[in-house]
Amino acid sequence: MSAPPAGERRPPVTIGVSLKMYFGHERALAWFDDVAARVRSHTAVADGSVELFITPTYLQVAPAVAAFRGTPVRVGGQDVAAWDEGAYTGEVSAAELAEVGASIAEVGHAERRRLFGETDDDVAQKTRAALRAGLTPLVCIGEQDQQDPSAAAEIAVRQLRASLAGAERGSVIVAYEPVWAIGAAEAAGETHVRVVAGALREALDHDPARAGSAVIYGGAAGPGVLTALGSAVDGVFLGRFAHDPDALVQVLDEAAAVAEGRS
């Protein structure tokens, strides 16, 4: 990441957590309360040098917003409808997510593509819907099979451009999650992530409509990954590791140290 102009505040280190469908409602409520209590006393989260966002299930979005009220923590949906309103049974619109206090909409996750057949065009429609409603799209990008970093970078940039096709101006969070690393024992190699994340950031930097965007890494992300990657990424996207609030705080502390090192 290049240094910002003199006097300009550096962007925060971004830590995201997807709860997928692992928690029932009561467990989710207890987790929200536990994490909220911890972040209220976390200096780096409070001062904005570290940004935390959570994407729970749809039924958990409103209680998450309530639990984190008074903190800078952002809440998002794990998916969003491609349409603004209408006869779309089972869908949830970006406008309704925004209405209940969400500020992020996750789109294009590998599981949505694999399990529900979502295409690049579907992802682009959802990205546009999120931006229309004032939500930040959390655009998931990643190659299916392990391969040479330069080849993976080409695939990632192609996916990114397809996901942003026709989208109005607005910042996005790009979550680079190589599919082969999701749920794996270890994260993708440092060199691999640096090459792909660098290509994604360059693509965003050359798009004036995406000012303020971030690139974060997901895929077996845990302690030490952010420190190893340093300025190659703007943060990490956590999965089951963050189910333990103590473990989540450990990564928040790591992010605080990284943010301090960048200042």
Side-chain angles (χ1 to χ4, degrees), residues 3-26:
E8 183 177 321
R9 189 177 185 276
R10 287 181 177 270
V13 177
T14 300
I15 305 300
V17 178
S18 173
L19 295 181
K20 300 196 178 185
M21 204 179 73
Y22 284 115
F23 288 1
H25 205 72
E26 291 303 318

Side-chain angles (χ1 to χ4, degrees), residues 88-115:
Y88 301 106
T89 301
E91 295 291 306
V92 175
S93 73
E96 185 179 3
L97 279 173
E99 186 179 358
V100 300
S103 62
I104 290 173
E106 184 175 357
V107 297
H109 191 276
E111 290 160 357
R112 299 292 312 177
R113 292 174 180 269
R114 175 172 58 86
L115 297 173

Side-chain angles (χ1 to χ4, degrees), residues 56-182:
T57 69
Y58 280 139
L59 284 175
Q60 297 161 8
V61 167
V65 169
F68 289 107
R69 188 168 289 123
T71 78
V73 177
R74 302 177 70 187
V75 176
Q78 293 178 16
D79 190 27
V80 70
W83 311 277
D84 294 337
E85 63 178 1
Y88 301 106
T89 301
E91 295 291 306
V92 175
S93 73
E96 185 179 3
L97 279 173
E99 186 179 358
V100 300
S103 62
I104 290 173
E106 184 175 357
V107 297
H109 191 276
E111 290 160 357
R112 299 292 312 177
R113 292 174 180 269
R114 175 172 58 86
L115 297 173
F116 303 104
E118 292 192 359
T119 65
D120 287 342
D121 184 59
D122 293 326
V123 176
Q125 290 185 59
K126 292 181 177 189
T127 299
R128 294 195 292 268
L131 286 169
R132 283 197 302 270
L135 300 178
T136 301
L138 170 63
V139 183
C140 298
I141 299 293
E143 73 278 11
Q144 186 73 33
D145 302 310
Q146 189 169 3
Q147 56 197 283
D148 178 84
S150 60
E154 289 183 14
I155 293 171
V157 171
R158 193 160 58 242
Q159 280 187 351
L160 176 63
R161 288 175 175 155
S163 299
L164 297 177
E168 63 185 63
R169 180 177 298 271
S171 64
V172 301
I173 301 171
V174 177
Y176 171 54
E177 295 187 294
V179 178
W180 51 269
I182 297 174

Side-chain angles (χ1 to χ4, degrees), residues 228-241:
L229 292 172
S231 61
V233 295
D234 299 305
V236 293
F237 194 22
L238 305 173
R240 282 176 291 176
F241 172 82

Side-chain angles (χ1 to χ4, degrees), residues 176 189-200 227-233:
Y176 171 54
E190 180 183 337
T191 300
H192 184 97
V193 177
R194 284 182 178 277
V195 170
V196 180
L200 289 167
T227 300
L229 292 172
S231 61
V233 295

